[in-house]
Protein backbone atom coordinates (compact mmCIF):
# COMPACT_ATOMS: atom_id res chain seq x y z
CA UNK A 1 0.00 0.00 0.00
CA UNK A 2 2.83 2.40 0.93
CA UNK A 3 4.61 1.70 -2.36
CA UNK A 4 1.46 2.51 -4.34
CA UNK A 5 1.11 5.74 -2.37
CA UNK A 6 4.65 6.78 -3.34
CA UNK A 7 3.86 6.24 -7.02
CA UNK A 8 0.77 8.46 -6.91
CA UNK A 9 0.97 11.27 -9.44
CA UNK A 10 1.24 14.76 -7.98
CA UNK A 11 -1.31 16.65 -10.06
CA UNK A 12 -2.19 19.72 -8.01
CA UNK A 13 -4.22 22.72 -9.14
CA UNK A 14 -1.88 25.66 -9.73
CA UNK A 15 -3.31 27.88 -6.96
CA UNK A 16 -2.95 25.01 -4.48
CA UNK A 17 0.71 24.66 -5.46
CA UNK A 18 1.28 28.40 -4.99
CA UNK A 19 -0.29 28.25 -1.51
CA UNK A 20 2.00 25.35 -0.54
CA UNK A 21 5.09 27.00 -1.98
CA UNK A 22 4.42 30.15 0.06
CA UNK A 23 3.67 28.09 3.20
CA UNK A 24 6.96 26.16 2.88
CA UNK A 25 9.02 29.17 1.75
CA UNK A 26 7.91 32.16 3.91
CA UNK A 27 10.26 34.45 2.00
CA UNK A 28 7.99 34.12 -1.06
CA UNK A 29 5.02 36.45 -0.58
CA UNK A 30 2.36 37.52 -3.13
CA UNK A 31 3.38 41.18 -3.17
CA UNK A 32 6.90 40.23 -4.37
CA UNK A 33 5.85 37.72 -7.02
CA UNK A 34 6.12 39.18 -10.52
CA UNK A 35 5.23 35.99 -12.36
CA UNK A 36 4.25 32.45 -11.38
CA UNK A 37 3.49 29.93 -14.09
CA UNK A 38 3.49 26.21 -14.75
CA UNK A 39 6.16 24.84 -17.07
CA UNK A 40 7.13 21.40 -18.28
CA UNK A 41 10.76 20.81 -17.35
CA UNK A 42 12.73 18.22 -19.36
CA UNK A 43 14.32 15.26 -17.62
CA UNK A 44 16.90 13.32 -19.64
CA UNK A 45 17.24 9.58 -19.16
CA UNK A 46 20.97 8.91 -19.46
CA UNK A 47 22.52 5.49 -19.92
CA UNK A 48 26.12 5.26 -18.73
CA UNK A 49 28.68 2.62 -19.55
CA UNK A 50 31.07 2.45 -16.60
CA UNK A 51 33.87 0.20 -15.45
CA UNK A 52 33.50 -0.93 -11.86
CA UNK A 53 35.69 -2.70 -9.36
CA UNK A 54 33.94 -5.01 -6.93
CA UNK A 55 35.31 -6.80 -3.89
CA UNK A 56 34.11 -10.11 -2.46
CA UNK A 57 35.52 -12.40 0.22
CA UNK A 58 37.50 -15.36 -1.13
CA UNK A 59 36.48 -18.91 -0.26
CA UNK A 60 39.33 -20.77 1.43
CA UNK A 61 39.96 -23.36 -1.32
CA UNK A 62 40.30 -20.94 -4.29
CA UNK A 63 42.43 -18.62 -2.12
CA UNK A 64 44.76 -21.51 -1.21
CA UNK A 65 45.02 -22.65 -4.87
CA UNK A 66 45.94 -19.07 -5.85
CA UNK A 67 48.67 -19.06 -3.19
CA UNK A 68 50.18 -22.20 -4.68
CA UNK A 69 50.10 -20.68 -8.18
CA UNK A 70 51.86 -17.61 -6.76
CA UNK A 71 54.45 -19.96 -5.23
CA UNK A 72 55.26 -21.37 -8.68
CA UNK A 73 53.11 -24.51 -8.86
CA UNK A 74 51.53 -24.53 -12.33
CA UNK A 75 49.69 -27.81 -12.89
CA UNK A 76 46.46 -29.04 -11.37
CA UNK A 77 48.18 -32.35 -10.39
CA UNK A 78 50.97 -30.61 -8.45
CA UNK A 79 48.51 -28.44 -6.53
CA UNK A 80 46.15 -31.40 -5.97
CA UNK A 81 48.99 -33.45 -4.47
CA UNK A 82 49.89 -30.61 -2.10
CA UNK A 83 46.28 -30.02 -1.01
CA UNK A 84 45.03 -33.59 -0.97
CA UNK A 85 42.38 -32.87 -3.60
CA UNK A 86 41.53 -34.64 -6.87
CA UNK A 87 43.23 -33.22 -9.98
CA UNK A 88 39.83 -32.82 -11.71
CA UNK A 89 38.45 -30.69 -8.87
CA UNK A 90 41.66 -28.65 -8.71
CA UNK A 91 41.48 -28.02 -12.47
CA UNK A 92 37.95 -26.65 -12.04
CA UNK A 93 39.28 -24.22 -9.42
CA UNK A 94 42.09 -23.14 -11.77
CA UNK A 95 39.58 -22.63 -14.61
CA UNK A 96 37.50 -20.48 -12.27
CA UNK A 97 40.55 -18.40 -11.33
CA UNK A 98 41.39 -17.98 -15.02
CA UNK A 99 37.80 -16.80 -15.59
CA UNK A 100 38.38 -14.12 -12.95
CA UNK A 101 41.65 -13.17 -14.78
CA UNK A 102 43.61 -14.04 -11.64
CA UNK A 103 45.61 -16.73 -13.46
CA UNK A 104 46.79 -17.10 -17.07
CA UNK A 105 49.25 -19.33 -18.97
CA UNK A 106 52.17 -17.51 -17.35
CA UNK A 107 50.93 -18.01 -13.80
CA UNK A 108 49.39 -15.46 -11.42
CA UNK A 109 48.40 -12.09 -12.94
CA UNK A 110 48.71 -8.61 -11.43
CA UNK A 111 45.00 -8.69 -10.60
CA UNK A 112 45.45 -12.11 -9.01
CA UNK A 113 48.39 -10.89 -6.92
CA UNK A 114 46.36 -7.83 -5.81
CA UNK A 115 43.42 -10.06 -4.86
CA UNK A 116 45.75 -12.42 -3.00
CA UNK A 117 47.20 -9.52 -1.03
CA UNK A 118 43.73 -8.30 -0.03
CA UNK A 119 42.36 -11.83 0.42
CA UNK A 120 39.36 -10.72 -1.67
CA UNK A 121 38.13 -11.43 -5.15
CA UNK A 122 38.64 -8.20 -7.10
CA UNK A 123 36.65 -7.97 -10.31
CA UNK A 124 36.71 -5.33 -13.04
CA UNK A 125 33.56 -5.23 -15.17
CA UNK A 126 31.82 -2.94 -17.64
CA UNK A 127 28.19 -2.30 -16.73
CA UNK A 128 25.38 -0.10 -18.03
CA UNK A 129 23.23 1.94 -15.69
CA UNK A 130 20.41 4.47 -16.22
CA UNK A 131 20.09 7.79 -14.41
CA UNK A 132 17.80 10.81 -14.45
CA UNK A 133 19.45 14.11 -15.36
CA UNK A 134 18.40 17.74 -15.67
CA UNK A 135 18.17 18.10 -19.46
CA UNK A 136 18.95 21.83 -19.27
CA UNK A 137 22.11 21.61 -17.14
CA UNK A 138 23.17 17.99 -17.73
CA UNK A 139 23.51 17.44 -13.95
CA UNK A 140 22.46 14.08 -12.57
CA UNK A 141 19.49 14.36 -10.24
CA UNK A 142 20.23 13.33 -6.68
CA UNK A 143 17.96 10.96 -4.84
CA UNK A 144 15.76 13.70 -3.35
CA UNK A 145 15.52 15.58 -6.64
CA UNK A 146 14.41 12.63 -8.74
CA UNK A 147 10.71 12.71 -9.66
CA UNK A 148 8.75 9.50 -9.30
CA UNK A 149 7.96 7.46 -12.39
CA UNK A 150 4.32 8.52 -11.99
CA UNK A 151 5.25 12.22 -12.33
CA UNK A 152 7.29 11.73 -15.52
CA UNK A 153 5.35 12.30 -18.74
CA UNK A 154 6.11 11.87 -22.41
CA UNK A 155 5.61 14.95 -24.58
CA UNK A 156 2.44 13.45 -26.06
CA UNK A 157 0.88 13.39 -22.56
CA UNK A 158 1.55 17.03 -21.66
CA UNK A 159 -0.95 19.91 -21.69
CA UNK A 160 -0.26 22.05 -24.75
CA UNK A 161 -1.07 25.46 -23.18
CA UNK A 162 1.66 25.04 -20.53
CA UNK A 163 5.09 26.24 -21.76
CA UNK A 164 7.69 23.52 -22.44
CA UNK A 165 11.34 24.27 -21.72
CA UNK A 166 12.69 22.52 -24.87
CA UNK A 167 10.76 24.87 -27.15
CA UNK A 168 13.41 27.49 -26.48
CA UNK A 169 16.73 25.93 -27.49
CA UNK A 170 15.49 22.75 -29.13
CA UNK A 171 16.34 20.38 -26.29
CA UNK A 172 15.94 16.90 -27.74
CA UNK A 173 17.55 13.48 -27.47
CA UNK A 174 19.66 14.22 -30.57
CA UNK A 175 20.67 17.65 -29.20
CA UNK A 176 21.73 16.17 -25.86
CA UNK A 177 23.70 13.35 -27.54
CA UNK A 178 25.48 15.89 -29.75
CA UNK A 179 26.58 17.75 -26.62
CA UNK A 180 27.65 14.48 -24.98
CA UNK A 181 29.99 13.68 -27.90
CA UNK A 182 32.37 16.40 -26.71
CA UNK A 183 31.52 16.22 -23.03
CA UNK A 184 34.03 15.70 -20.25
CA UNK A 185 32.67 12.60 -18.49
CA UNK A 186 34.92 13.16 -15.47
CA UNK A 187 32.36 15.73 -14.23
CA UNK A 188 30.08 12.81 -13.41
CA UNK A 189 32.72 11.41 -11.03
CA UNK A 190 31.50 13.95 -8.44
CA UNK A 191 28.43 11.72 -7.99
CA UNK A 192 30.48 8.72 -6.80
CA UNK A 193 29.11 7.38 -3.55
CA UNK A 194 25.86 9.33 -3.99
CA UNK A 195 24.17 8.46 -7.30
CA UNK A 196 26.98 6.45 -8.89
CA UNK A 197 28.37 3.45 -7.06
CA UNK A 198 31.48 4.27 -5.05
CA UNK A 199 33.36 1.52 -6.91
CA UNK A 200 33.09 3.15 -10.36
CA UNK A 201 36.57 3.47 -11.90
CA UNK A 202 35.86 5.07 -15.24
CA UNK A 203 32.88 6.48 -17.14
CA UNK A 204 33.41 5.19 -20.66
CA UNK A 205 30.32 6.51 -22.42
CA UNK A 206 27.13 8.47 -21.73
CA UNK A 207 24.11 8.40 -24.01
CA UNK A 208 20.66 10.01 -23.76
CA UNK A 209 18.08 7.28 -24.38
CA UNK A 210 14.91 9.16 -23.42
CA UNK A 211 13.37 12.53 -22.64
CA UNK A 212 10.52 12.94 -20.16
CA UNK A 213 8.86 15.94 -18.55
CA UNK A 214 7.83 16.95 -15.05
CA UNK A 215 5.42 19.74 -14.21
CA UNK A 216 7.36 22.47 -12.42
CA UNK A 217 6.84 26.18 -11.76
CA UNK A 218 8.68 29.22 -13.04
CA UNK A 219 8.82 31.98 -10.41
CA UNK A 220 9.99 35.55 -11.05
CA UNK A 221 10.53 37.50 -7.83
CA UNK A 222 11.20 41.18 -7.29
CA UNK A 223 14.84 42.11 -6.76
CA UNK A 224 16.23 39.25 -8.87
CA UNK A 225 16.95 39.71 -12.58
CA UNK A 226 16.15 36.13 -13.58
CA UNK A 227 13.44 33.65 -12.59
CA UNK A 228 14.00 30.23 -11.07
CA UNK A 229 12.27 26.87 -11.32
CA UNK A 230 10.58 25.20 -8.34
CA UNK A 231 9.80 21.48 -8.28
CA UNK A 232 8.49 18.91 -5.81
CA UNK A 233 11.46 17.36 -4.00
CA UNK A 234 12.37 15.14 -1.06
CA UNK A 235 14.27 17.01 1.66
CA UNK A 236 15.93 14.53 4.03
CA UNK A 237 17.16 17.36 6.29
CA UNK A 238 13.66 17.83 7.73
CA UNK A 239 13.11 15.98 11.01
CA UNK A 240 9.43 15.25 10.45
CA UNK A 241 8.74 12.82 7.61
CA UNK A 242 5.58 14.70 6.58
CA UNK A 243 7.70 17.83 6.04
CA UNK A 244 10.26 16.13 3.83
CA UNK A 245 8.33 16.47 0.58
CA UNK A 246 8.73 20.15 -0.25
CA UNK A 247 8.50 22.64 -3.10
CA UNK A 248 12.09 23.82 -3.58
CA UNK A 249 14.11 25.64 -6.26
CA UNK A 250 16.05 23.30 -8.53
CA UNK A 251 18.83 25.88 -8.89
CA UNK A 252 19.38 29.53 -8.00
CA UNK A 253 19.55 32.24 -10.70
CA UNK A 254 22.34 34.19 -8.98
CA UNK A 255 24.22 34.78 -5.74
CA UNK A 256 21.85 37.65 -4.97
CA UNK A 257 18.94 35.24 -4.58
CA UNK A 258 20.45 33.67 -1.46
CA UNK A 259 20.49 36.91 0.50
CA UNK A 260 17.34 38.39 -1.03
CA UNK A 261 15.11 35.40 -0.25
CA UNK A 262 17.06 33.34 2.27
CA UNK A 263 17.43 30.15 0.25
CA UNK A 264 19.89 27.50 1.36
CA UNK A 265 23.33 27.68 -0.23
CA UNK A 266 23.12 23.92 -0.72
CA UNK A 267 21.07 24.85 -3.80
CA UNK A 268 23.59 25.48 -6.60
CA UNK A 269 23.40 28.30 -9.15
CA UNK A 270 22.50 27.78 -12.80
CA UNK A 271 25.24 27.80 -15.39
CA UNK A 272 25.23 30.73 -17.83
CA UNK A 273 23.91 28.52 -20.62
CA UNK A 274 21.06 27.15 -18.49
CA UNK A 275 20.18 30.64 -17.30
CA UNK A 276 19.92 31.85 -20.92
CA UNK A 277 17.42 29.07 -21.57
CA UNK A 278 15.29 29.98 -18.55
CA UNK A 279 15.40 33.71 -19.34
CA UNK A 280 14.35 32.98 -22.91
CA UNK A 281 11.38 31.00 -21.63
CA UNK A 282 10.52 33.88 -19.28
CA UNK A 283 10.56 36.35 -22.17
CA UNK A 284 8.35 34.02 -24.21
CA UNK A 285 5.81 33.79 -21.38
CA UNK A 286 5.87 37.58 -20.90
CA UNK A 287 5.24 38.06 -24.64
CA UNK A 288 2.23 35.75 -24.51
CA UNK A 289 0.88 37.63 -21.48
CA UNK A 290 1.23 41.08 -23.08
CA UNK A 291 -0.81 39.79 -26.03
CA UNK A 292 -3.79 39.23 -23.72
CA UNK A 293 -6.39 41.94 -24.22
CA UNK A 294 -9.82 42.17 -22.61
CA UNK A 295 -11.50 39.97 -25.21
CA UNK A 296 -8.84 37.28 -24.94
CA UNK A 297 -9.01 37.49 -21.16
CA UNK A 298 -12.75 36.82 -21.27
CA UNK A 299 -12.09 33.76 -23.42
CA UNK A 300 -9.48 32.49 -20.93
CA UNK A 301 -11.79 33.16 -17.99
CA UNK A 302 -14.42 31.09 -19.76
CA UNK A 303 -12.26 27.99 -19.14
CA UNK A 304 -12.50 28.73 -15.41
CA UNK A 305 -16.12 29.81 -14.89
CA UNK A 306 -19.00 30.70 -17.25
CA UNK A 307 -19.17 34.34 -16.18
CA UNK A 308 -21.83 36.83 -17.24
CA UNK A 309 -19.41 39.48 -18.53
CA UNK A 310 -22.11 42.13 -18.81
CA UNK A 311 -22.15 42.26 -15.00
CA UNK A 312 -18.35 42.60 -14.59
CA UNK A 313 -15.76 45.35 -14.85
CA UNK A 314 -12.21 44.46 -15.99
CA UNK A 315 -9.14 46.64 -15.36
CA UNK A 316 -6.18 45.44 -17.46
CA UNK A 317 -3.52 47.55 -15.70
CA UNK A 318 -0.20 48.83 -17.11
CA UNK A 319 2.75 46.95 -18.57
CA UNK A 320 5.58 47.01 -15.98
CA UNK A 321 9.01 45.54 -16.88
CA UNK A 322 7.44 43.54 -19.69
CA UNK A 323 4.71 42.04 -17.50
CA UNK A 324 1.23 43.48 -16.94
CA UNK A 325 0.34 44.51 -13.42
CA UNK A 326 -2.20 42.25 -11.74
CA UNK A 327 -5.49 42.47 -13.59
CA UNK A 328 -8.51 43.40 -11.49
CA UNK A 329 -11.89 41.85 -12.20
CA UNK A 330 -14.87 43.26 -10.31
CA UNK A 331 -17.75 40.81 -9.88
CA UNK A 332 -21.16 40.85 -8.24
CA UNK A 333 -23.68 38.17 -7.36
CA UNK A 334 -25.04 38.08 -10.93
CA UNK A 335 -21.61 37.41 -12.48
CA UNK A 336 -21.55 33.69 -11.60
CA UNK A 337 -23.84 31.42 -13.62
CA UNK A 338 -22.74 27.99 -12.41
CA UNK A 339 -21.69 26.33 -9.17
CA UNK A 340 -18.30 24.68 -9.52
CA UNK A 341 -14.97 24.21 -7.70
CA UNK A 342 -13.85 27.73 -8.65
CA UNK A 343 -16.76 29.33 -6.78
CA UNK A 344 -15.93 27.38 -3.61
CA UNK A 345 -12.23 28.38 -3.85
CA UNK A 346 -13.28 31.98 -4.47
CA UNK A 347 -15.48 32.06 -1.35
CA UNK A 348 -12.88 30.27 0.79
CA UNK A 349 -10.05 32.62 -0.17
CA UNK A 350 -11.92 35.89 -0.64
CA UNK A 351 -10.74 38.78 1.52
CA UNK A 352 -12.79 41.95 1.95
CA UNK A 353 -9.68 44.10 1.52
CA UNK A 354 -7.44 42.12 -0.84
CA UNK A 355 -10.06 40.26 -2.86
CA UNK A 356 -9.08 36.86 -4.27
CA UNK A 357 -5.73 36.53 -6.05
CA UNK A 358 -6.01 33.81 -8.69
CA UNK A 359 -4.05 32.29 -11.56
CA UNK A 360 -4.58 29.30 -13.82
CA UNK A 361 -2.81 27.17 -16.44
CA UNK A 362 -4.68 29.04 -19.17
CA UNK A 363 -3.39 32.41 -17.89
CA UNK A 364 0.34 31.64 -18.37
CA UNK A 365 1.29 33.01 -14.97
CA UNK A 366 -0.84 36.11 -15.09
CA UNK A 367 -2.50 36.97 -11.75
CA UNK A 368 -6.10 38.14 -11.56
CA UNK A 369 -7.46 39.85 -8.49
CA UNK A 370 -11.20 39.21 -8.16
CA UNK A 371 -12.88 41.91 -6.12
CA UNK A 372 -16.47 42.57 -5.09
CA UNK A 373 -18.50 44.99 -3.01
CA UNK A 374 -21.57 42.76 -3.17
CA UNK A 375 -22.97 42.07 0.34
CA UNK A 376 -24.33 38.61 -0.61
CA UNK A 377 -20.90 37.46 -1.81
CA UNK A 378 -19.13 38.85 1.24
CA UNK A 379 -21.63 37.28 3.64
CA UNK A 380 -21.44 33.89 1.86
CA UNK A 381 -17.65 34.00 2.07
CA UNK A 382 -17.64 34.79 5.79
CA UNK A 383 -20.17 32.06 6.61
CA UNK A 384 -18.28 29.49 4.53
CA UNK A 385 -14.88 30.31 6.10
CA UNK A 386 -16.41 30.23 9.58
CA UNK A 387 -17.80 26.75 8.96
CA UNK A 388 -14.52 25.50 7.46
CA UNK A 389 -12.72 26.40 10.70
CA UNK A 390 -14.84 23.92 12.64
CA UNK A 391 -15.95 21.27 10.13
CA UNK A 392 -14.23 18.62 8.04
CA UNK A 393 -13.49 20.40 4.75
CA UNK A 394 -13.62 17.29 2.57
CA UNK A 395 -16.98 16.27 4.00
CA UNK A 396 -18.43 19.79 3.71
CA UNK A 397 -17.28 20.25 0.10
CA UNK A 398 -18.71 16.86 -0.82
CA UNK A 399 -22.07 17.89 0.69
CA UNK A 400 -22.07 21.20 -1.22
CA UNK A 401 -21.25 19.44 -4.47
CA UNK A 402 -24.20 17.08 -4.02
CA UNK A 403 -26.59 19.90 -3.12
CA UNK A 404 -25.50 22.63 -5.54
CA UNK A 405 -23.34 21.33 -8.39
CA UNK A 406 -24.91 20.18 -11.67
CA UNK A 407 -28.24 21.75 -10.73
CA UNK A 408 -30.11 23.37 -13.61
CA UNK A 409 -29.66 27.13 -13.52
CA UNK A 410 -31.59 27.95 -16.71
CA UNK A 411 -28.95 30.57 -17.48
CA UNK A 412 -29.70 32.44 -14.28
CA UNK A 413 -27.15 33.67 -11.79
CA UNK A 414 -26.35 31.39 -8.87
CA UNK A 415 -27.98 32.28 -5.57
CA UNK A 416 -25.52 33.08 -2.76
CA UNK A 417 -28.38 33.23 -0.26
CA UNK A 418 -29.19 29.64 -1.27
CA UNK A 419 -25.56 28.82 -0.53
CA UNK A 420 -25.92 30.18 3.02
CA UNK A 421 -29.16 28.20 3.47
CA UNK A 422 -27.31 25.06 2.32
CA UNK A 423 -24.58 25.69 4.90
CA UNK A 424 -27.23 25.97 7.62
CA UNK A 425 -28.86 22.79 6.34
CA UNK A 426 -25.52 21.02 6.57
CA UNK A 427 -25.14 22.10 10.21
CA UNK A 428 -28.61 20.81 11.10
CA UNK A 429 -28.03 17.44 9.42
CA UNK A 430 -24.55 17.02 10.93
CA UNK A 431 -25.97 17.61 14.44
CA UNK A 432 -28.70 15.03 13.81
CA UNK A 433 -26.03 12.48 12.85
Amino acid sequence: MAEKQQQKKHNYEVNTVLDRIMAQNPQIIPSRIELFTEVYYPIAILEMEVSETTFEDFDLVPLTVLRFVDAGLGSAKEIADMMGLSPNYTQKILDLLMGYSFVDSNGITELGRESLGMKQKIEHANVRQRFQADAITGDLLKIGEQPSEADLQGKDKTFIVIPHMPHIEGVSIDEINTQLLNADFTKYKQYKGDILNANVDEIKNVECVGLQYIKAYLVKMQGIDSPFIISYQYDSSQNSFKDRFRWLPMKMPSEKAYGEYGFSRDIACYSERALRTINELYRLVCKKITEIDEEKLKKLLGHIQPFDYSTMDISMGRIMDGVPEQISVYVNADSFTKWNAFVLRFLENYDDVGGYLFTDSWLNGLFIRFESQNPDIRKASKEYKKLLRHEDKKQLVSYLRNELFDKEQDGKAIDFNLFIETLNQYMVESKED
Side-chain angles (χ1 to χ4, degrees):
M1 182 74 175
E3 185 175 339
K4 288 184 179 178
Q5 190 74 17
Q6 288 179 350
Q7 290 300 313
K8 184 178 180 181
K9 185 176 179 179
H10 301 107
N11 191 21
Y12 303 122
E13 190 269 334
V14 63
N15 288 276
T16 301
V17 172
L18 180 57
D19 288 343
R20 295 185 181 185
I21 286 174
M22 291 191 296
Q24 294 174 355
N25 302 272
Q27 65 275 28
I28 298 178
I29 56 176
S31 62
R32 300 203 71 187
I33 299 173
E34 292 184 358
L35 190 91
F36 177 84
T37 186
E38 295 169 294
V39 294
Y40 282 118
Y41 200 90
I43 302 298
I45 310 301
L46 300 185
E47 185 173 87
M48 288 191 187
E49 181 183 359
V50 301
S51 62
E52 291 185 345
T53 300
T54 59
F55 302 87
E56 186 180 341
D57 290 340
F58 249 132
D59 291 333
L60 180 60
V61 173
L63 180 61
T64 305
V65 170
L66 189 60
R67 282 176 175 154
F68 279 117
V69 174
D70 186 44
L73 300 180
S75 71
K77 185 176 185 312
E78 289 177 308
I79 296 172
D81 289 343
M82 294 292 294
M83 295 184 66
L85 303 173
S86 70
N88 286 340
Y89 178 69
T90 306
Q91 186 60 55
K92 289 181 180 179
I93 299 297
L94 284 171
D95 292 342
L96 182 66
L97 293 173
M98 291 185 72
Y100 290 146
S101 298
F102 296 161
V103 172
D104 60 20
S105 58
N106 296 318
I108 191 169
T109 64
E110 285 298 320
L111 180 61
R113 190 166 285 109
E114 186 181 355
S115 295
L116 186 61
M118 296 184 66
K119 297 181 181 179
Q120 286 186 311
K121 285 189 291 185
I122 302 174
E123 290 187 71
H124 298 301
N126 288 342
V127 298
R128 289 182 173 271
Q129 294 178 303
R130 289 194 175 187
F131 303 92
Q132 293 179 6
D134 183 324
I136 302 297
T137 66
D139 297 332
L140 297 186
L141 297 181
K142 298 179 180 179
I143 301 302
E145 298 169 338
Q146 295 176 11
S148 70
E149 292 293 327
D151 286 336
L152 291 172
Q153 302 177 68
K155 190 174 180 180
D156 58 328
K157 302 292 185 183
T158 58
F159 190 31
I160 194 168
V161 301
I162 298 176
H164 291 55
M165 295 295 288
H167 289 177
I168 307 304
E169 291 194 358
V171 176
S172 65
I173 293 176
D174 290 342
E175 172 93 6
I176 294 170
N177 281 327
T178 298
Q179 294 175 20
L180 289 171
L181 285 176
N182 302 312
D184 178 9
F185 295 153
T186 58
K187 73 172 186 176
Y188 292 113
K189 286 278 191 84
Q190 64 179 299
Y191 299 100
K192 281 183 64 173
D194 181 9
I195 305 171
L196 297 180
N197 292 335
N199 53 8
V200 168
D201 296 317
E202 181 184 3
I203 299 170
K204 297 193 168 185
N205 188 49
V206 182
E207 180 183 6
C208 180
V209 296
L211 196 60
Q212 298 285 304
Y213 297 87
I214 57 167
K215 190 185 282 187
Y217 298 84
L218 182 144
V219 186
K220 175 65 172 65
M221 301 296 297
Q222 290 179 0
I224 305 178
D225 293 337
S226 300
F228 52 87
I229 305 293
I230 283 184
S231 67
Y232 198 57
Q233 301 175 30
Y234 180 81
D235 183 4
S236 60
S237 67
Q238 300 297 315
N239 293 327
S240 173
F241 182 78
K242 67 181 179 63
D243 294 331
R244 290 184 181 178
F245 291 93
R246 301 173 61 80
W247 294 95
L248 296 169
M250 297 175 70
K251 293 279 192 301
M252 283 284 93
S254 66
E255 284 286 327
K256 187 177 181 182
Y258 296 112
E260 190 80 18
Y261 287 98
F263 288 112
S264 168
R265 288 190 172 269
D266 291 338
I267 304 172
C269 282
Y270 280 110
S271 67
E272 288 187 15
R273 177 184 175 277
L275 202 55
R276 284 197 301 272
T277 300
I278 291 168
N279 280 326
E280 194 63 34
L281 175 71
Y282 173 60
R283 284 189 286 271
L284 177 66
V285 173
C286 289
K287 184 176 184 298
K288 291 182 70 174
I289 289 175
T290 56
E291 292 171 354
I292 297 176
D293 56 18
E294 187 170 327
E295 287 306 309
K296 188 170 184 180
L297 178 63
K298 289 179 179 179
K299 184 177 179 180
L300 295 174
L301 289 175
H303 292 288
I304 301 163
Q305 160 74 23
F307 289 105
D308 181 350
Y309 297 111
S310 66
T311 66
M312 300 160 55
D313 289 322
I314 297 176
S315 174
M316 295 298 293
R318 300 170 299 165
I319 303 296
M320 300 291 289
D321 298 323
V323 181
E325 290 181 309
Q326 292 167 359
I327 292 174
S328 294
V329 175
Y330 300 89
V331 295
N332 59 43
D334 297 328
S335 303
F336 302 88
T337 61
K338 184 178 181 180
W339 289 107
N340 60 15
F342 170 79
V343 181
L344 295 185
R345 286 199 305 270
F346 168 80
L347 293 173
E348 180 183 356
N349 294 284
Y350 186 78
D351 178 79
D352 285 350
V353 177
Y356 172 39
L357 193 63
F358 176 83
T359 187
D360 186 82
S361 301
W362 292 94
L363 298 171
N364 293 121
L366 185 63
F367 282 105
I368 294 177
R369 187 179 298 282
F370 287 94
E371 300 184 47
S372 180
Q373 297 296 322
N374 183 270
D376 291 343
I377 288 178
R378 292 184 168 217
K379 183 177 180 182
S381 174
K382 288 176 182 176
E383 293 297 322
Y384 186 42
K385 287 188 284 190
K386 184 168 68 176
L387 201 55
L388 283 173
R389 287 196 291 269
H390 305 289
E391 299 294 324
D392 181 275
K393 179 179 178 179
K394 188 174 181 181
Q395 186 174 320
L396 176 57
V397 169
S398 177
Y399 182 86
L400 293 171
R401 283 176 177 273
N402 290 333
E403 294 297 318
L404 298 173
F405 285 28
D406 301 323
K407 304 294 183 183
E408 291 295 330
Q409 293 294 132
D410 297 325
K412 297 178 182 178
I414 63 177
D415 188 344
F416 284 97
N417 289 316
L418 174 61
F419 179 78
I420 295 173
E421 290 173 10
T422 307
L423 294 180
N424 293 332
Q425 181 181 321
Y426 172 85
M427 288 298 297
V428 171
E429 293 182 14
S430 62
K431 286 179 182 178
E432 289 175 354
D433 293 340

